[in-house]
Each structure stands twice: as structure tokens, then as C-alpha cells.
Amino acid sequence: MGCKELIEALRREGEEKAQAIWQEAGAEAEKIRADADERINRMQEEYSLMQTSTIKDKIDPILSEAKQKADAVRLAAEKDMSVRLYHLAASILNNLRDEGYPDVFCSLVKELPFCKWEIVKVNPEDEKIAKEYFPDAEIITDSSIAGGLEVQAKAGKIRISNTFEKRLERAWMEILPGLMRDIYGNL
């Protein structure tokens, strides 16, 4: 082998070694880049989770407070609605005095326990019918009574109110949930 051929062989061998070194260095650099990318991605995920957790920790109390305030507003609105509905219901109790009211009055009288009633308070329109049922009692008229009657015996020691207003008052807590369901159903 001549000098020229030797130089050529050495150059080829050098180029091959240089190329192998560059390939090895490139592969190592790529491995380092991939490892760095993986660590960066892991760190980003960890920081994202920490950030999400931190944000959640800050948002949860705010949302909880907002929910409490919204609940308080809703409850106040429901209470106001309840009062308004009650007054509306009370204002239309006179409508129950339509046809058949004498039978209703009779039923209310029959619900009373047996007693010598001394005072009977009724709507002014019921004075006549009250005298029929309680001929020995003092009949007092009261226009705030829509229907029904209040009775007293034994100098006021025994008192019973069987008026439309009292019946509404007693039944209101049973009536209200149905009304509220109807209202919410129509929203």
C-alpha cells in the first residue's frame, strides 16, 4: 500500500470515526434533550397540579361563601313569598262565604265541644245564624272574621276559635310547601 492510499485510508477512517463521534454526540444530545423535556413536562404537570390545588383552595371558600349568601337570599325571598301568599290567602277567605255557607257554619258549630257558650263572636253577616245556634249567648260581631266563629265560656277561661282565619293559620304549614312547589314549577 502506497503513501497515498495510506493517507486516503486514514482520512476515510478519520471521517468514519468523526461521523461516528458526531452521531454518538447527536444521540447523546437527543437523549439529554428528551430527558430534559420529560423533566420539564413533569415539573409543568406538578406545578399545574399545585397551581390547580392552590386555585381550588382559594376558590372553594369564595364559592362556599357565595352559596351561603345565595341560600340566605333565597330563604329571605321564600319567607317574603310565604308572608305575601298568606296575606293573599287571608284576603280571599270571604270568598268561602258563597253558596252553602250556612252548611259550613253548621259544620263549624258541630266541631265545638258541648258547653254552655257565653260569648260568640262572628262576622256581622252571621249574627242571625249564630243566634239560632246560640240563643242564650251574647253575640258579638267582628268584621275581621271572614267566616266561622269564636266562642267563650266560664268568664273567658275556655276559648275556642273556629274561624276561617284560625283554620288557615293552623293549616298554613301544610299548604305552603305545595304552593312553593307550584311556584318553583312555573319558574
Side-chain angles (χ1 to χ4, degrees), residues 132-183:
E132 291 174 21
Y133 286 102
F134 306 98
D136 298 330
E138 176 186 356
I139 307 297
I140 299 173
T141 61
D142 182 348
S143 60
S144 69
I145 297 175
L149 64 159
E150 289 181 9
V151 291
Q152 293 181 30
K154 300 194 180 186
K157 290 182 181 177
I158 301 174
R159 302 176 92 153
I160 296 177
S161 179
N162 203 6
T163 63
F164 289 173
E165 291 82 5
K166 186 53 91 172
R167 290 168 92 67
L168 175 63
E169 181 183 319
R170 288 183 188 135
W172 187 246
M173 294 316 283
E174 294 175 24
I175 296 170
L176 182 61
L179 291 173
M180 295 305 278
R181 271 192 303 277
D182 288 347
I183 289 168

Side-chain angles (χ1 to χ4, degrees), residues 3-89:
C3 189
K4 216 179 184 183
E5 293 165 346
L6 181 61
I7 292 174
E8 191 61 34
L10 288 174
R11 191 178 321 140
R12 259 191 316 230
E13 193 177 313
E15 285 176 6
E16 286 173 2
K17 281 187 180 182
Q19 191 174 7
I21 290 171
W22 274 113
Q23 284 178 344
E24 210 175 283
E28 186 65 27
E30 187 57 38
K31 184 179 173 187
I32 290 170
R33 266 190 243 117
D35 184 49
D37 286 345
E38 184 181 325
R39 284 189 297 164
I40 289 170
N41 287 337
R42 240 182 296 129
M43 288 174 68
Q44 285 175 335
E45 286 176 16
E46 287 173 15
Y47 284 119
S48 176
L49 289 174
M50 285 183 353
Q51 183 180 24
T52 300
S53 177
T54 301
I55 290 171
K56 186 178 182 319
D57 290 346
K58 292 186 186 233
I59 287 176
D60 283 351
I62 293 169
L63 291 175
S64 178
E65 182 182 346
K67 184 184 180 315
Q68 287 175 346
K69 285 181 180 178
D71 288 347
V73 167
R74 183 183 50 79
L75 287 172
E78 285 179 355
K79 182 179 180 198
D80 183 51
M81 179 67 70
S82 169
V83 169
R84 288 173 185 233
L85 288 170
Y86 183 83
H87 289 299
L88 178 63

Side-chain angles (χ1 to χ4, degrees), residues 97 122-128 141-145:
R97 299 184 58 85
V122 293
N123 180 289
E125 295 178 32
D126 297 338
E127 184 175 11
K128 182 180 174 190
T141 61
D142 182 348
S143 60
S144 69
I145 297 175

Side-chain angles (χ1 to χ4, degrees), residues 91-105:
S91 74
I92 60 172
L93 288 176
N94 280 329
N95 295 348
L96 299 177
R97 299 184 58 85
D98 293 341
E99 265 182 54
Y101 176 72
D103 293 334
V104 171
F105 189 88

